[in-house]
Structures are given as structure tokens and as C-alpha cells.
Amino acid sequence: MRSIKRTLLVISFLLSINYVSAQKWKEMMDDPKVNIYDVVEEAELYFQKIDRDAKGSGWKAYQRWLFENEPKFYPSGDRSYADPYFVSKAYTKFLTNNPSPARALFDNGWEELGPYYIEQVTGHYSLGLGRVESFYSDPNDSLRIYLGSRSGGFWKTLDGGATWTGNTTDSIFASGINTMTVSPTNSDSILINVRNSRNSVTHGIYRSGDAGDTWTVTNFNPTNLGWGGLGTNDRINHIAYHPTVPNLVFISTSQGLFRSTDDLATWTSPISSTAIYQIEFHPANPNIIYAREWNDSFIYRSTDGGVTFSQSNTIPGSVAGIKMSTTADCPSCVYVGSSNGIWKSVDNGMNFSLVSTPGINLYGAFAVSDVDTNYMLFGNIDVNMSTDGGKTFYKTTYWAQGNANYATNTAYVHADIRGSKCINGVFWVNTDGFLGHSYDNGVTWEIFEGYSIRENYSLGVSQSNHFRTICGSQDNGTSIKTENSWIEFFGADGMEGIIHPLNDDWMIGSVQYGSRRRTLDGGISQTGATPPGQAAGWIAPLFYDPNDPMVVYSLGDTLHRSENFGFTWTKLGTPSFTGSISEAAMAENNSDIIVVSKNANIEISVDGGNTFIDIQGTLPNNYIVDIA
């Protein structure tokens, strides 16, 4: 028994070290005061210790961040001078010159193409519509649901998910909605945090009084708060109406906890010394309120309605990345979950005892049933459920589905559980693909469709049929838009895609790091088309010869050419710079001329990619992001 306990302690300790280390570089990523290359150094050290290719390792998130940010701040890596409101200021200038912005400003307007539903599945194994960041399910009206997405704005349904309405936040300065709260006395009254989808910088809390049809910014915004100077990185993590006290609102932010008694007309800051991530309420006593930081081995508790807060006693053991949950089934209980274990307090959050160390990496969700504390949800890549109060857990959803019929698969909610709540005994989860719920404590799940929130990396357009495109998206794979439907073609992160200009059934799509998939029948069937031995970057260039579209080029650290649309490949030359090629182009009138780049390095080949010459010359030492 002692040996088992020692083993569990060692496992818990190692989990703690890895989690804290991971959290360090993740926090550095979000802090513009930290140089990009310091983040790279810390992240690379971390990924030397773990299997970076394992699902949920964080490697993909890191690569997405690096791909997006390095070009902007190369070569110094200094982000401290960047204005996080650059885009919103440019949009304000645009509005000055265009007081009535609309899609009609552009020729023939715009048509939203979706996808809204998973329509036809041919080769996908992890289907999804897009990342859901937050949601609200009305406890008094099960048909009313609100949804906030990472970069697709606010959506709502008033008929239980049969139909959804969105796009009402399109004209707001940013499109990310990570947290929302609804008045307990008026479900038409909504508060949302509007933030940049990439770096989470807030544009303030917005209010709707008509169930999300229109929005206005509240007083709680960066201007009134004194946020928003060069290099600032202020974020709102959680907004919460008090469930029983009218007009009492709490906001957890990177600058502490704020409290408003007049529905955000004014506010105070009971905690200002540290970032706060979550607020929870005592189910029976309106004066008891809980708040938490990220890694501290305690929680904050208030017994005077949030006017003041004090720390709980120390949570025993190694605690990292905690999340809290309260439950009406045990009003005096507070549960804390982390990657290192689960703790329970029975005295309103003052003292905690260890329940178990399930050994599950908790980076997404933790929720205890509000009707029976035996049931508990632990979310990471998949949903894990407990039926014995957190002592043991078992997996109930599976992110990799092969080509299973997702519509009848009750063990699927998509990978990466972002958050969870239990409302009237129903467990809800928001994931990187869907919003879902379970009526039987996690045994079976139902996912919602009807909203269009997907984040696309790349788009390949047919030159002979304007109805057809091939799209690569974040965590939701490669999809093909045809004349009649959307085809879900392949999983992972979808990247570059091309369509043969003379035969729109012939396409090649990509996965991260240059893995290629080919179809010759418009996405119905597929085969591999990756050059052997290719070492490629995150989004590896792929293009066909404009003078002979059967000839395809795939670019990594070396060029590869196929003369038969990816069936066989010939290895060509390697530029003199190190690393994988990030941008490339071929001359429209001469297939022997190819230009490639990496960072500020740029070279030309005049013999079809066999040899290269440095042509940077007097070009500035800036990151090249496109070549034509």
C-alpha cells in the first residue's frame, strides 16, 4: 500500500511540474512584455520533456501562436510597442468615412456560406463546426440557449436548437466572446465580453436588452478603466450576475476582481493584487461568494456579498491550474479540480481535503452535478465522468471517430472540452467543435448544430466552377464546398488546398506540417499524396504549375515536384537558408522561375527548383508573409 501511495505521489508531483511548466510558457505567450523568442525558448524546453505529438500536448496551440505572431515582430521579437487596439482604431477610421457600413458596400454584397451543419462526411474523424467559448442555457426555459464563439460572435436559439440566429455582433470591433452572463430576472438582458480572438485583449463588456439582437458598450470598457495603452494586455476572464441579488455583477479580469451593485454603472475592486479567473456563488447564502486565481493553493471567499475577500486555508498537496464548482445538492460544499487532483470543502470553502488524484490533465472543464454530488465531470481532450463523488473517473466521449456516423454517435462532442456546467441535472460542455449536453450524467451526448463559427486557415478556389472551394480550418479539418453541400473531407488542422483548374473534382488538401490528401471525385474518396521524407513547416506551401496544372509542388525544407497530381514525387533542390519554406510563388509565364522565402530570407530558382540564389539584397530585414 505504501508503495502504491508513493507511486501516486510521484505521478502527482510530475504532473504538477509539467503543468506548471506548461502554464509558464502559455502565460508568456499572452504577455506582450515578453519577447517572442523568450517564449520560444521556454516552450521548446518544455516540449523536449514530453511527447509533443500526443493529443492535448499543447504543441499545436503553440505552433498556431508562433505562426501568427512571429511575422509581425521579426526579427527582434519585441512585442511591447504593439497597440492591441490597432484594428479597432482602423475600423473607427473606416466608420468615419463610411457612416453606414454594410455588406452592400461591396459589389453584389456578401453571402455567408457556412457551414451551419455537418452535411456529408466522407473521410473525417473529428467533425466540428468551430470553437465554442461560452454559453448560457436558461434554467427556466430549456428552449433558450445563447452561444459565444472564439471568432464567430454571438448566436442564439429560442427553440431548443432547431434554428439559430447570429451575426448580430458583426459590427462590433472584435469577434471573440469568451464569457457571458444573463440577468436572473430577465433572460433578454445579456452581458458579453468582446475580445480579440487571437490574443484575448478585451474591448469591454457589451449589453443587449433584446436577447442579443442589438448591442451597446457598457461603462466597463478599456477607456473608462484606463486600459488600452501601448503594450497592455488586459483581459476579462469571467462575468457573472449574482443569482439572487438584483443588479449585482462580478467581473474577473487580468487586473483583479471587480464588483458592481448598479449593473455596471459603477464598480469597486475588492481584489486588485492579482488576476482572477472564476467566480462562483453559494447556492443558498447570497453573502458567500468564491473567486480563484490560477495556480495558488487556496481560493478567495467572501461572507459579505463580495465587498471584501479573504483567503481560504491552504489546499493540501500540489495544486496547479484549479477550477471551482459549487452545487445546490450540497450548499456548504466547494469542489476544486486540477490536473493534480480533486479537493472538497464542506465548510463553505474554508478547509479542503483531498478526494482523489485521478491522473487526468484538466485544462478545460470541471463541474459537479447540481442535483447529485455523486456525479462529476472532468474535461480535457474528452469528457471523463465520476459516479462516486470524484473518487474514480471513466471516459464517456471519444474524440477520434473514424468515419462513424456522428449523427447517431452518442459518445461524441469533439475534442478539447473548453468548459462545463450542470443545470437542473443536465451536464453541458462547450468544445472546439460543438456545444453539447447530456441528460443522463454523461452516458450519452447530444450536440447542437445550426451556427456558423468555423475558423479557416486557407482557401483553395476552383478557377472553373465558382461554387467549389476547399477550406482548411483550425481543429476541424479540411472541408469542401460544392454546388449542393459541404463535404467533411479530413480531420486535424486543415491547411493549404488546391483544385485542378480544368477538373474541379481533382483536389489536394493538407494537414499541418505538409501532410497531403488527394481526391479525384470531388471529396467522395481520397488517398495520401505526401512527398516521402518531406520535412515541412506548420502551413506548408502547396501550388500547381500555372502552365501545367498536373504538375504540383509541395514545399518543406526542400522542394518536391509531382508531374501526376501527387501520385509520385521528385525531390528537387534546397535553399541555402535553414528551416522550412514559409512562402513561395511560381512565375505565371515561366515555370522555371520559383521564388521562396523563410523569415526575411528570399531566394530565386531559374531552373525549376533545382538550385537557388539569394536575392534579399537591400530588402529590409522583415518577415516576408506573401509572394506574388
Side-chain angles (χ1 to χ4, degrees):
M1 180 63 94
R2 289 179 181 175
S3 175
I4 293 173
K5 288 182 177 179
R6 278 197 299 269
T7 302
L8 289 173
L9 285 171
V10 169
I11 292 172
S12 176
F13 176 70
L14 292 174
L15 281 169
S16 173
I17 291 175
N18 277 339
Y19 192 90
V20 171
S21 178
Q23 191 57 35
K24 181 179 179 181
W25 63 260
K26 288 178 182 177
E27 289 175 350
M28 292 169 67
M29 283 199 311
D30 293 332
D31 186 350
K33 295 186 294 294
V34 179
N35 189 286
I36 278 181
Y37 296 108
D38 290 337
V39 180
V40 169
E41 182 179 359
E42 186 71 28
E44 295 291 346
L45 285 173
Y46 170 74
F47 285 111
Q48 288 176 12
K49 305 172 187 175
I50 68 168
D51 179 8
R52 72 181 193 183
D53 296 323
K55 184 68 176 173
S57 71
W59 176 255
K60 287 205 304 181
Y62 165 60
Q63 290 297 304
R64 293 179 194 128
W65 172 85
L66 188 61
F67 173 82
E68 177 69 21
N69 284 277
E70 186 180 19
K72 299 174 183 177
F73 305 104
Y74 179 89
S76 70
D78 180 12
R79 297 180 285 167
S80 62
Y81 63 88
D83 185 350
Y85 298 100
F86 173 84
V87 175
S88 64
K89 289 175 181 177
Y91 183 52
T92 300
K93 184 177 180 180
F94 171 79
L95 291 177
T96 302
N97 299 323
N98 301 277
S100 300
R103 297 176 183 185
L105 283 173
F106 305 91
D107 293 343
N108 302 319
W110 287 92
E111 176 188 0
E112 187 167 8
L113 298 179
Y116 297 90
Y117 299 91
I118 304 300
E119 298 177 36
Q120 187 177 359
V121 183
T122 60
H124 213 300
Y125 55 83
S126 186
L127 303 150
L129 290 173
R131 182 184 292 188
V132 180
E133 290 280 2
S134 57
F135 67 92
Y136 165 81
S137 174
D138 192 335
N140 302 310
D141 178 5
S142 61
L143 299 180
R144 181 186 294 262
I145 307 167
Y146 302 146
L147 179 153
S149 64
R150 185 171 187 256
S151 63
F154 173 89
W155 292 75
K156 72 173 180 180
T157 177
L158 301 179
D159 53 18
T163 58
W164 290 80
T165 303
N167 305 319
T168 61
T169 50
D170 276 2
S171 60
I172 298 178
F173 292 117
S175 57
I177 299 172
N178 67 310
T179 179
M180 66 175 68
T181 187
V182 178
S183 167
T185 59
N186 179 6
S187 57
D188 285 343
S189 180
I190 313 166
L191 298 175
I192 60 173
N193 176 46
V194 174
R195 69 174 187 172
N196 294 343
S197 60
R198 174 60 64 172
N199 62 14
S200 305
V201 173
T202 182
H203 292 258
I205 296 176
Y206 280 67
R207 182 193 311 279
S208 174
D210 52 16
D213 290 338
T214 60
W215 299 92
T216 56
V217 66
T218 68
N219 287 337
F220 200 91
N221 61 68
T223 299
N224 291 341
L225 290 162
W227 297 353
L230 284 175
T232 56
N233 190 44
D234 296 305
R235 288 170 285 166
I236 292 173
N237 300 312
H238 190 192
I239 318 168
Y241 271 111
H242 194 286
T244 59
V245 180
N247 299 320
L248 181 56
V249 185
F250 291 86
I251 309 102
S252 67
T253 79
S254 57
Q255 296 293 332
L257 180 69
F258 292 81
R259 177 182 186 266
S260 173
T261 60
D262 49 18
D263 210 6
L264 297 186
T266 62
W267 51 82
T268 58
S269 181
I271 303 175
S272 58
S273 58
T274 185
I276 301 296
Y277 288 86
Q278 184 184 0
I279 308 132
E280 290 293 333
F281 300 97
H282 192 288
N285 187 334
N287 289 317
I288 300 179
I289 300 162
Y290 311 105
R292 69 165 174 88
E293 297 182 27
W294 189 263
N295 278 329
D296 277 321
S297 56
F298 60 85
I299 65 170
Y300 292 95
R301 56 194 302 276
S302 173
T303 58
D304 56 11
V307 177
T308 62
F309 283 80
S310 59
Q311 294 180 7
S312 70
N313 289 328
T314 300
I315 302 171
S318 178
V319 184
I322 64 173
K323 295 182 183 294
M324 298 184 299
S325 184
T326 59
T327 169
D329 189 45
C330 181
S332 63
C333 292
V334 181
Y335 292 84
V336 169
S338 86
S339 294
N340 299 334
I342 296 170
W343 290 262
K344 178 181 179 180
S345 169
V346 295
D347 56 2
N348 300 316
M350 179 56 75
N351 297 285
F352 287 86
S353 59
L354 181 66
V355 176
S356 69
T357 53
I360 302 171
N361 184 20
L362 173 66
Y363 65 78
F366 176 63
V368 179
S369 169
D370 59 351
V371 298
D372 186 345
T373 57
N374 283 312
Y375 295 99
M376 193 177 297
L377 184 148
F378 218 69
N380 55 358
I381 301 170
D382 295 304
V383 172
N384 301 272
M385 296 297 301
S386 175
T387 61
D388 56 11
K391 296 177 183 177
T392 60
F393 284 84
Y394 62 98
K395 186 183 294 189
T396 64
T397 65
Y398 297 85
W399 69 272
Q401 294 296 306
N403 287 334
N405 184 352
Y406 85 102
T408 59
N409 189 341
T410 59
Y412 182 67
V413 295
H414 198 279
D416 301 341
I417 316 302
R418 294 284 164 188
S420 179
K421 299 175 187 175
C422 187
I423 303 169
N424 297 330
V426 179
F427 278 98
W428 292 75
V429 292
N430 52 292
T431 77
D432 270 5
F434 295 105
L435 175 67
H437 65 191
S438 172
Y439 284 96
D440 53 13
N441 295 308
V443 176
T444 61
W445 292 86
E446 176 187 7
I447 54 179
F448 290 88
E449 301 178 70
Y451 39 85
S452 180
I453 61 172
R454 186 172 285 174
E455 296 180 300
N456 289 313
Y457 276 109
S458 300
L459 175 70
V461 181
S462 170
Q463 301 301 302
S464 57
N465 180 353
H466 71 268
F467 289 105
R468 290 203 170 188
T469 58
I470 181 168
C471 310
S473 65
Q474 184 269 320
D475 218 33
N476 287 285
T478 297
S479 306
I480 296 169
K481 180 71 175 73
T482 69
E483 298 86 340
N484 304 311
S485 69
W486 281 88
I487 294 174
E488 302 304 325
F489 180 64
F490 200 70
D493 277 20
M495 300 298 185
E496 295 280 11
I498 58 173
I499 303 176
H500 194 292
L502 304 180
N503 186 339
D504 55 37
D505 280 339
W506 286 39
M507 309 179 192
I508 299 177
S510 304
V511 182
Q512 64 266 28
Y513 304 120
S515 178
R516 317 295 188 187
R517 304 294 298 179
R518 176 186 52 248
T519 179
L520 303 180
D521 51 17
I524 304 304
S525 64
Q526 61 182 270
T527 54
T530 307
Q534 175 181 268
W538 182 242
I539 300 180
L542 172 73
F543 58 87
Y544 56 76
D545 186 334
N547 303 296
D548 183 355
M550 285 298 293
V551 179
V552 178
Y553 291 80
S554 179
L555 283 69
D557 56 355
T558 302
L559 274 69
H560 286 79
R561 180 178 64 220
S562 171
E563 297 185 357
N564 50 18
F565 209 69
F567 279 92
T568 58
W569 295 89
T570 300
K571 186 176 181 180
L572 302 177
T574 301
S576 64
F577 53 76
T578 59
S580 297
I581 297 164
S582 59
E583 302 294 333
M586 174 176 284
E588 297 289 330
N589 62 344
N590 188 336
S591 304
D592 285 333
I593 302 176
I594 304 172
V595 176
V596 299
S597 72
K598 169 68 175 178
N599 299 346
N601 302 295
I602 183 167
E603 299 188 5
I604 192 170
S605 173
V606 294
D607 58 6
N610 289 298
T611 61
F612 288 87
I613 303 169
D614 184 354
I615 57 169
Q616 184 177 3
T618 58
L619 283 176
N621 191 32
N622 293 332
Y623 201 111
I624 297 167
V625 295
D626 200 9
I627 303 172

